[in-house]
Amino acid sequence: MTVRVQTEDFDVGFEINQFRKARNDIGAIVSFVGLVRDLNDGDAVSQLTLEHYPGMTEKSLAAIISQAKARWNIIEALIIHRVGTLQPSDQIVLVLVSSAHRGDAFAVCEFMMDYLKTEAPFWKKEATPQGEHWVEAKSADDVARERWNMKK
Amino acid sequence: MKIKLFYFARLKEALKYSTEDLELPDESMTVLKLKAYLAKRGDVWGQMLMGKLKVRAAINHELVDDNAAIADGDEVAFFPPVTGG
């Protein structure tokens, strides 16, 4: 498993090929890429700044992968999350999961994003024409995470 | 006991602190007691830590609730609900 918190951009194709070339028993790779949008809750967003808690962030992301590995049959998992200042259409986060069959990879990709959004210590600040403000946490994200306690 | 404190995001900006070393009375300490202790520093501390805003806490990089016990040498952090991804 791999966790990276970085200011630099990432290359999804490169990361997928790293997974693919490493072994021959992979049947499925699922990826999720989160992007900066130029509109959020009705406000035009010109810039997004991501703050994090160094040390805890990496541990928290590694713990999310460990939980996924304990619950599903996956081969490899990777999370890259960017911090610092980003512009609309920039990539923020990559979650990549490989498995023998697609079911586990699809489930784990969604599980990891739902946990990341509610547990990993990142905070977004948006720059809009009205000034800068911290993004509020959404209760829909808590609901999305809680459903994993009920189903497998 | 001595602890290290970190504040993030909205709390860091409002309190004008990102980190501090704190010497506390040697008695049983929890997250809630620490919040109440810090809230006595003044209005903005009370508003940020004991007010309407949701505050989450971590001890030694683990998310914890208000009842969690704090020990000598711990790293404690206060921050708003997370918004990454």
Side-chain angles (χ1 to χ4, degrees):
Chain A
M1 68 167 126
T2 307
V3 165
R4 275 183 244 147
V5 179
Q6 61 189 43
T7 52
E8 303 81 49
D9 199 8
F10 50 80
D11 180 340
V12 183
F14 173 82
E15 301 298 341
I16 288 176
N17 279 331
Q18 294 295 106
F19 267 32
R20 193 170 58 77
K21 288 178 193 162
R23 43 201 291 173
N24 295 322
D25 57 349
I26 293 171
I29 297 176
V30 171
S31 67
F32 171 84
V33 181
L35 307 176
V36 180
R37 293 190 308 150
D38 67 357
L39 194 72
N40 189 28
D41 295 332
D43 291 327
V45 176
S46 57
Q47 196 167 276
L48 187 72
T49 304
L50 271 142
E51 181 176 328
H52 78 301
Y53 181 178
M56 180 173 170
T57 314
E58 293 81 358
K59 282 183 199 167
S60 156
L61 297 177
I64 291 168
I65 295 181
S66 295
Q67 285 181 59
K69 282 196 155 176
R71 195 162 159 184
W72 286 275
N73 284 316
I74 60 169
I75 292 170
E76 194 54 89
L78 166 135
I79 302 174
I80 301 176
H81 202 298
R82 294 177 69 194
V83 291
T85 300
L86 303 173
Q87 316 298 326
S89 89
D90 278 356
Q91 304 187 112
I92 305 173
V93 59
L94 170 65
V95 169
L96 206 58
V97 187
S98 66
S99 60
H101 305 285
R102 71 184 186 284
D104 288 312
F106 272 127
V108 166
C109 195
E110 198 167 17
F111 169 87
M112 292 210 296
M113 272 312 297
D114 287 344
Y115 270 69
L116 186 156
K117 291 209 73 117
T118 50
E119 299 204 341
F122 293 101
W123 301 275
K124 284 181 185 143
K125 192 183 207 180
E126 288 173 346
T128 71
Q130 291 78 39
E132 288 194 328
H133 63 255
W134 292 99
V135 173
E136 298 292 338
K138 291 187 172 66
S139 57
D141 289 332
D142 290 323
V143 173
R145 192 204 54 214
E146 284 312 309
R147 71 204 160 108
W148 294 104
N149 291 332
M150 288 172 255
K151 72 178 186 189
K152 165 147 169 83
Chain B
M1 69 169 118
K2 283 182 182 168
I3 62 167
K4 194 166 189 71
L5 265 166
F6 285 91
Y7 308 95
F8 291 97
R10 183 181 285 133
L11 271 77
K12 180 175 78 178
E13 280 186 356
L15 302 174
K16 298 185 170 62
Y17 266 92
S18 60
T19 182
E20 61 176 313
D21 293 304
L22 191 64
E23 176 103 48
L24 291 165
D26 275 325
E27 55 191 53
S28 74
M29 185 55 73
T30 63
V31 169
L32 186 61
K33 281 187 191 173
L34 177 59
K35 279 189 204 169
Y37 179 89
L38 293 167
K40 288 183 197 151
R41 286 176 169 177
D43 284 351
V44 66
W45 291 83
Q47 283 162 22
M48 296 312 290
L49 293 168
M50 300 293 280
K52 286 181 203 158
L53 288 169
K54 260 194 198 169
V55 178
R56 299 195 80 178
I59 300 178
N60 300 328
H61 296 162
E62 297 280 345
L63 279 174
V64 294
D65 63 27
D66 272 351
N67 301 317
I70 295 168
D72 185 42
D74 278 351
E75 178 175 316
V76 181
F78 290 115
F79 44 78
V82 302
T83 55

